[in-house]
Amino acid sequence: NRDENLVNVVKSKLVSNYSGVQEDFSGGLVAVNTNGDLYNETRNEEIREYRYSGVTVNNYVKFNDETWRIIGVFKEGEEEFVKIVKNTTIENTKIPLNFFKNSINYVINLDDSIYWNRFQNSNDSTQLNYDFSNSGLQHYLNNEKDDSSPPNYGYYHYLSATAKDMIRETTYYLGNVKIVYDYSKKDLVTAMVTNVYQDERGNQVYPNHQAIWKGKIGLMYASDYGYAFNSNNWKSLDLSHITITDKENWLTKILINKNIWLISKSTEGQVYAIDITDRNIWRHGIHNAGSRLALPSLYLKANVKIVSGDGSENNPYELKLG
């Protein structure tokens, strides 16, 4: 059996996929520098993160006896760890409504979305707000069960004990995503990453909204979708209007005919969250969310190891906690 650290194996793929000074990757793992651009080994730059880019990528893992995909390798402090996303969405009908009706400080109209609850802003009792940290969806993803009677089990409850032990509690950044509405075709991905690190860069969050949330199970960032496109497209990519072929992005296979929520809210108003609709990124009113689905994403602990597999769809990495 293999006994290799998952972080090290993923990072090692960068060397085999690098094709020279032209910064051309046909698909596979790429490095992102501190400015959000593609890293070039001829430059003296710090690598911030590693991401799977393009469509032909062997980033499959078995987690909770299900198929998940590796988004990349990231840092928090000095520690590096792998981020993964589920290969299938959670359907609306599988989420008990009690997780949303009983969320703290919220009231809900059951004709509205089952994901984001209406709550009363202290400055405007009629205002709706989106805040993932206090949403029914966050509560459902991260709790064993709802506290009401009879109990309704949360998503976390259905994970195996082994899978639960592998999850790393991580800081998620909840600031606004501004660049997806800019049609000037400037360097899109760099600006999106700025929002991922918004607590350090001073990006806006609305009053009474958390800038960060620390937990186990979240949703993807807009930048996770953007970086999944072939790296040759990064600087001309406009995620609010996808014009390049879907074959350039490995997430397309998961997202086809699906509309999913992202973790960020919109800059356009407190009532809007960000979603991917028809493979484009939009802001969407949280009270009109019936067709939007959840796609869980999480970070694995740094000591997770590979037992077997090569990361391909037919032979995914089998994992264990080191």
Side-chain angles (χ1 to χ4, degrees):
N1 288 342
R2 295 174 64 179
D3 189 24
E4 299 178 83
N5 180 269
L6 178 62
V7 168
N8 292 339
V9 169
V10 172
K11 287 172 61 178
S12 71
K13 301 293 184 181
L14 176 73
V15 177
S16 62
N17 281 304
Y18 188 77
S19 59
V21 297
Q22 299 303 313
E23 301 184 347
D24 181 20
F25 291 82
S26 59
L29 198 73
V30 300
V32 180
N33 66 21
T34 52
N35 293 320
D37 297 319
L38 186 66
Y39 176 81
N40 186 318
E41 66 180 359
T42 63
R43 302 173 186 162
N44 182 22
E45 295 175 307
E46 180 183 349
I47 295 177
R48 183 175 66 202
E49 59 204 27
Y50 301 83
R51 290 181 177 270
Y52 280 97
S53 166
V55 66
T56 308
V57 296
N58 291 322
N59 63 347
Y60 292 84
V61 296
K62 277 291 183 185
F63 176 78
N64 194 46
D65 201 30
E66 300 168 325
T67 301
W68 289 58
R69 307 290 294 274
I70 299 173
I71 293 175
V73 174
F74 303 87
K75 280 185 179 181
E76 188 170 74
E78 296 301 314
E79 188 179 37
E80 292 182 307
F81 42 89
V82 166
K83 183 178 185 179
I84 62 176
V85 63
K86 199 170 186 293
N87 201 45
T88 54
T89 55
I90 299 175
E91 303 300 326
N92 291 358
T93 55
K94 295 185 179 180
I95 303 181
L97 279 174
N98 275 15
F99 278 97
F100 306 93
K101 288 195 296 183
N102 298 318
S103 296
I104 298 174
N105 297 328
Y106 281 75
V107 294
I108 186 170
N109 178 342
L110 293 182
D111 292 330
D112 290 340
S113 163
I114 65 170
Y115 287 127
W116 316 123
N117 299 303
R118 295 175 179 260
F119 80 94
Q120 296 178 342
N121 185 300
S122 58
N123 299 319
D124 181 358
S125 62
T126 65
Q127 180 67 63
L128 306 183
N129 288 261
Y130 159 58
D131 183 349
F132 176 80
S133 63
N134 292 315
S135 70
L137 180 55
Q138 185 278 118
H139 181 62
Y140 168 72
L141 289 175
N142 288 276
N143 286 276
E144 286 278 2
K145 66 178 183 178
D146 179 54
D147 293 331
S148 63
S149 182
N152 290 294
Y153 292 111
Y155 181 79
Y156 189 78
H157 170 83
Y158 295 101
L159 298 180
S160 68
T162 300
K164 291 175 183 175
D165 286 343
M166 289 185 185
I167 301 175
R168 182 186 191 276
E169 188 173 74
T170 305
T171 300
Y172 290 81
Y173 299 88
L174 310 179
N176 299 333
V177 178
K178 182 182 297 183
I179 191 63
V180 295
Y181 303 112
D182 191 327
Y183 293 89
S184 63
K185 303 287 188 179
K186 60 185 178 182
D187 189 344
L188 178 71
V189 174
T190 298
M192 286 196 301
V193 171
T194 299
N195 287 285
V196 173
Y197 293 92
Q198 55 61 228
D199 69 322
E200 300 172 3
R201 312 287 180 87
N203 288 284
Q204 177 188 10
V205 291
Y206 283 98
N208 304 319
H209 289 70
Q210 291 183 212
I212 61 174
W213 169 75
K214 192 163 187 176
K216 293 187 174 181
I217 304 177
L219 305 173
M220 290 194 303
Y221 296 119
S223 54
D224 293 331
Y225 184 46
Y227 275 125
F229 281 92
N230 186 291
S231 56
N232 293 326
N233 298 302
W234 286 358
K235 296 199 176 198
S236 61
L237 190 61
D238 180 352
L239 292 186
S240 59
H241 184 64
I242 300 298
T243 56
I244 61 177
T245 173
D246 293 335
K247 294 180 180 179
E248 300 284 348
N249 190 319
W250 60 265
L251 277 166
T252 298
K253 190 170 183 179
I254 302 175
L255 298 176
I256 191 161
N257 297 323
K258 302 282 187 183
N259 303 326
I260 68 160
W261 287 116
L262 298 175
I263 202 167
S264 306
K265 70 173 281 78
S266 169
T267 58
E268 294 195 8
Q270 299 186 67
V271 302
Y272 295 110
I274 299 294
D275 69 357
I276 299 177
T277 302
D278 298 327
R279 298 175 298 282
N280 297 311
I281 287 184
W282 302 94
R283 66 109 174 99
H284 200 89
I286 60 177
H287 54 287
N288 295 313
S291 64
R292 272 66 188 168
L293 307 173
L295 190 64
S297 180
L298 56 87
Y299 297 83
L300 298 174
K301 291 177 180 177
N303 61 338
V304 168
K305 293 185 176 182
I306 298 173
V307 175
S308 62
D310 59 12
S312 63
E313 185 173 9
N314 294 325
N315 190 22
Y317 293 130
E318 298 276 353
L319 306 176
K320 72 173 185 179
L321 195 61

